[in-house]
Amino acid sequence: MTGIGMGEAPLSDGVLRVELRAVNHRHLDVRVRTGHELAEVASVIEDEVRARCGRGRIEAHARWEAHTAAAQSLDSARARAVYKTLCELRDELAPGQEVPIAALASVAGLFTGGVRFEAESLVAAVRAATDRAADDLSRMRATEGAALLEDLASRVVALRAHSSFIAQQRPSIVEAARVRLTKRIEKLLEGADLTLDSARVAQEVAWFADKSDVTEELTRLDSHTRQFEALLRRGGDHVGKKLDFLIQEMGREINTTGSKVNDAELAHRVVEMKSELERLREQVQNVL
């Protein structure tokens, strides 16, 4: 499930903020980004996220904001070393070119704040802020999950409605085929000294009925849709994989049904069933 969660906790003379952004993913993939002052607790943030989230690609961003501006100090020794290295690189690649002193401004870690965090307080704040962000993310994902559940359930209902229509219309389709066949033969026999063989017509109609019989396919499809609905209600581990498997089985039955029906309206219903199934397939990818 996608979502975003934010949490914060007081730390020193400021506030620690953690933001979690989640997108769909089959497994749990956690990526943490922090400022240099929080780099030492990046692993703590990752551990907290892994403890709270079971799956998804989750990006965690953590930053500390001071209530008042903190004095900045320059690491002079490092600045000299960096500038010397840049000049050496200039002499190698572009002799005679100027190396502006302003280039040092983009080098991370040259300027440091005067604030220092007590290790225990820092870890406690990080855990608290991450936990609150995870709570916020869980609420958003739960809302999305409820909407997804409703959408999946409605599409299964639509599938069953199409299936029921085909089952109800099939007898009339067979009768219509008998009438068409009888009229066609009668028209061919007009003016000829021949009589209609009712037994032969009945045999042809029986053959047509057997060839177009989709009772078994619709029965299996009904079973699959009911299992699908039961999984939606029950949930649990690996539910996405089970739903995906049932979708494959439903697709098999729908395709066979489509190859058997010999009626334009029923064929249209099969097309609608395939469309609904494809939408189901796309949505289920969100819970795999």
Side-chain angles (χ1 to χ4, degrees), residues 141-211:
R141 295 175 93 178
T143 300
E144 182 184 352
L148 176 60
L149 178 63
E150 182 178 351
D151 182 74
L152 290 172
S154 67
R155 298 197 182 284
V156 173
V157 170
L159 270 179
R160 184 175 290 117
H162 291 309
S163 175
S164 177
F165 179 86
I166 293 175
Q168 292 172 3
Q169 292 299 312
R170 186 179 167 274
S172 62
I173 297 299
V174 173
E175 175 60 20
R178 186 192 67 78
V179 172
R180 287 197 305 271
L181 179 60
T182 301
K183 288 183 177 180
R184 186 177 304 170
I185 294 175
E186 289 176 344
K187 185 174 182 179
L188 290 173
L189 294 179
E190 285 180 1
D193 189 17
L194 297 171
T195 59
L196 178 64
D197 186 346
S198 300
R200 180 61 177 171
V201 171
Q203 185 180 2
E204 291 296 327
V205 172
W207 176 84
F208 173 82
D210 182 66
K211 182 181 178 182

Side-chain angles (χ1 to χ4, degrees), residues 206-244:
W207 176 84
F208 173 82
D210 182 66
K211 182 181 178 182
S212 62
D213 186 10
V214 292
T215 302
E216 292 184 9
E217 288 77 9
L218 296 183
T219 299
R220 286 193 291 267
L221 179 60
D222 182 69
S223 174
H224 296 331
T225 55
R226 293 188 186 282
Q227 291 181 65
F228 194 96
E229 289 176 323
L231 283 173
L232 290 180
R233 292 191 298 268
R234 186 166 64 247
D237 295 335
H238 308 298
V239 65
K241 293 181 179 179
K242 296 176 182 177
L243 293 175
D244 189 55

Side-chain angles (χ1 to χ4, degrees), residues 73-85 104 109-110:
S73 60
L74 173 66
D75 187 340
S76 301
R78 189 180 178 200
R80 292 190 184 93
V82 170
Y83 191 76
K84 180 180 179 182
T85 300
L104 295 176
L110 288 185

